[in-house]
């Protein structure tokens, strides 16, 4: 979690307000809509002729992350990405975030500096303003809650509910790498528990581990679609696995879907490590989660506009609701799609 040989300052030395001032002293603003950020009872944001989108996600130690193999700087960065991804899934651009943390006294100030270094790096990289938040004490580890705010022109906002029969189903990037990165980290952590002198060689798994510890939200996709003059009919980000997200789109729009197994984009590293772990790569793409790619539908008339684009893959099409949701396998078998993605409540219960 944090190196024992580094100097440590107890949280009580600074107090709540002193800690906030200390952690946010390097925060700067990037957005013209930020009228007032940190330093008052509330932030002030100016908007004209646009709609705001607002989303919140909470990450809890022991449920969403394990500090045994998650560096705090990476955790801060990832916590921001989780929220920005939801904004981009509305076909919007993110502009501000607030950050609230609950932390136990086992964390020194220097550990939280690492966490905030990752948060601030994410803000600087994605040109998003940190405008406020809260800190409080926790008796059971670290909790991070981030709210992200974005803007989108009224005629461009995209919901989950707009898909129509015959729309094409499109995904960005590749799938499954984040989950397999997690599997590698969990395996190496078990080895370390048995032999603390063992040093893991993660170089062969660099892409997978990075996708797990330092994912990147797809800020570029709303910009790309605008440049291509494509308005998605529906969109969602892939946080809980491809199968779960397809079901969300179908249920919200009251349509069915055919997903073609051979079209699912997989990085060669995912295929290789799935073989190493004796896991089916299609299952990982469907159920792994935490890819933070975007899944969306477009009208068939827009196909020529996206055809051949290396960022986008057509993986299926929408059908009438009565036809249901199916995976068409490489053997041309039709299998019902079920939600097998990650469920925090089930996982939490499993740990009790």
């Amino acid at each position: 979690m944090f190196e024992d040989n580094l100097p440590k300052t107890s949280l009580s030395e600074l107090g709540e307000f002193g800690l906030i001032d200390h952690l946010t002293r390097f925060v700067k603003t990037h957005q013209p809509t930020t009228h007032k950020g940190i330093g008052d009872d509330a932030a002030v944001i100016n908007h004209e002729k646009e709609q705001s989108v607002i989303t919140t996600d909470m990450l809890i130690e022991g449920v969403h992350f394990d500090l045994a193999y998650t560096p705090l700087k990476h955790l801060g960065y990832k916590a921001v990405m989780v929220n920005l991804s939801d904004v981009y899934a509305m076909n919007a651009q993110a502009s501000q975030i607030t950050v609230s943390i609950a932390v136990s006294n086992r964390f020194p100030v220097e550990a939280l500096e690492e966490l905030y270094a990752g948060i601030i790096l994410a803000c600087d990289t994605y040109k998003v303003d940190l405008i406020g938040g809260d800190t409080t004490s926790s008796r059971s580890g670290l909790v991070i809650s981030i709210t992200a705010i974005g803007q989108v022109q009224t005629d461009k906002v995209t919901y989950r509910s707009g898909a129509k029969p015959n729309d094409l189903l499109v995904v960005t990037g590749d799938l499954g790498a984040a989950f397999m990165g997690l599997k590698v980290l969990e395996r190496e952590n078990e080895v370390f528990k048995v032999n603390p002198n063992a040093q893991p060689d993660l170089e062969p798994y660099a892409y997978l581990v990075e996708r797990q510890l330092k994912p990147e939200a797809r800020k570029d996709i709303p910009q790309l679609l605008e440049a291509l003059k494509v308005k998605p009919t529906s969109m969602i980000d892939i946080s809980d696995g491809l199968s779960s997200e397809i079901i969300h789109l179908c249920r919200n729009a009251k349509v069915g879907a055919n997903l073609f197994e051979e079209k699912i984009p997989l990085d060669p590293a995912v295929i290789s490590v799935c073989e190493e772990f004796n896991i089916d790569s299609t299952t990982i793409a469907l159920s792994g989660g935490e890819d933070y790619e975007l899944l969306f539908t477009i009208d068939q008339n827009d196909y020529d506009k996206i055809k051949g684009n290396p960022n986008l893959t057509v993986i299926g099409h929408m059908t009438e609701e009565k036809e249901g949701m199916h995976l068409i396998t490489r053997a041309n078998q039709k299998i019902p799609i079920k939600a097998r993605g990650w469920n925090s409540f089930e996982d939490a219960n499993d740990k009790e």
Side-chain angles (χ1 to χ4, degrees):
M1 178 192 74
F2 191 71
E3 295 184 30
D4 291 334
N5 59 348
L6 294 178
K8 297 179 176 62
T9 306
S10 69
L11 301 181
S12 60
E13 286 186 42
L14 295 181
E16 179 182 353
F17 299 112
L19 178 62
I20 293 171
D21 290 341
H22 181 74
L23 294 175
T24 60
R25 66 193 187 279
F26 298 123
V27 170
K28 55 181 182 272
T29 58
H30 305 278
Q31 296 290 329
T33 52
T34 303
H35 182 73
K36 177 65 177 178
I38 295 170
D40 214 308
D41 290 300
V44 179
I45 303 171
N46 291 329
H47 292 304
E48 294 181 8
K49 300 178 181 178
E50 290 183 323
Q51 291 184 322
S52 293
V53 297
I54 302 170
T55 182
T56 297
D57 265 297
M58 184 180 295
L59 301 180
I60 299 174
E61 183 180 354
V63 177
H64 301 98
F65 59 88
D66 188 334
L67 291 176
Y69 48 77
T70 306
L72 285 163
K73 186 173 182 179
H74 286 74
L75 177 61
Y77 192 93
K78 181 175 181 176
V80 177
M81 292 303 109
V82 169
N83 285 270
L84 298 190
S85 183
D86 283 332
V87 173
Y88 303 139
M90 301 297 294
N91 206 28
Q93 286 298 327
S95 52
Q96 289 90 9
I97 64 169
T98 65
V99 177
S100 296
I101 61 172
V103 60
S104 67
N105 59 12
R106 89 176 200 269
F107 292 86
V109 170
E110 288 77 11
L112 297 187
E113 286 178 346
E114 282 291 294
L115 179 71
Y116 266 75
I119 292 170
I120 293 171
L121 175 61
C123 289
D124 290 345
T125 302
Y126 282 73
K127 303 304 178 189
V128 171
D129 293 341
L130 172 57
I131 59 171
D134 191 21
T135 60
T136 189
S137 61
S138 166
R139 295 182 179 179
S140 57
L142 177 62
V143 178
I144 308 169
S145 178
I146 293 182
T147 296
I149 303 165
Q151 288 79 46
V152 59
Q153 293 180 14
T154 303
D155 61 342
K156 293 180 179 176
V157 63
T158 304
Y159 302 101
R160 297 178 180 182
S161 56
K164 310 180 301 296
N166 299 319
D167 279 357
L168 300 178
L169 186 64
V170 185
V171 72
T172 67
D174 57 80
L175 305 177
F179 181 81
M180 292 314 298
L182 177 62
K183 297 295 287 185
V184 168
L185 290 168
E186 288 177 338
R187 181 184 67 183
E188 297 305 319
N189 187 46
E190 291 303 313
V191 171
F192 178 79
K193 289 178 182 178
V194 175
N195 180 10
N197 294 320
Q199 293 298 315
D201 180 14
L202 297 178
E203 183 60 33
Y205 311 103
Y207 178 66
L208 309 180
V209 171
E210 183 175 8
R211 290 277 282 180
Q212 169 58 218
L213 295 181
K214 190 177 177 289
E216 301 291 347
R218 297 308 303 257
K219 176 182 181 179
D220 59 317
I221 296 303
Q223 298 169 337
L224 172 64
L225 294 176
E226 183 175 13
L228 295 174
K229 297 183 179 179
V230 173
K231 166 70 188 302
T233 53
S234 67
M235 194 180 327
I236 191 171
D237 82 320
I238 301 179
S239 56
D240 299 325
L242 179 61
S243 60
S244 293
E245 314 307 357
I246 289 175
I247 290 171
H248 282 311
L249 292 184
C250 289
R251 287 180 175 170
N252 277 270
K254 295 185 175 9
V255 295
N258 284 331
L259 166 68
F260 293 88
E261 181 182 20
E262 64 182 2
K263 300 295 185 182
I264 298 174
L266 300 170
D267 189 90
V270 171
I271 297 172
S272 174
V273 176
C274 281
E275 291 175 354
E276 180 181 336
F277 278 77
N278 196 27
I279 300 175
D280 179 65
S281 58
T282 298
T283 300
I284 297 309
L286 290 173
S287 307
E290 291 201 295
D291 292 304
Y292 300 108
E293 297 292 345
L294 296 179
L295 176 71
F296 59 94
T297 55
I298 62 170
D299 190 282
Q300 284 198 22
N301 291 328
D302 285 331
Y303 172 70
D304 286 341
K305 299 177 184 178
I306 70 163
K307 182 174 60 177
N309 192 293
N311 294 285
L312 309 174
T313 304
V314 177
I315 57 173
H317 62 267
M318 314 312 279
T319 64
E320 296 289 345
E321 183 178 23
K322 63 184 179 182
E323 296 184 32
M325 298 167 277
H326 293 93
L327 172 71
I328 311 301
T329 71
R330 292 184 179 89
N332 206 33
Q333 293 179 307
K334 206 169 186 179
I335 301 173
I337 294 175
K338 296 182 180 180
R340 302 187 189 279
W342 188 75
N343 183 320
S344 62
F345 293 100
E346 287 183 1
D347 278 50
N349 292 335
D350 289 344
K351 295 173 187 278
E352 290 178 357

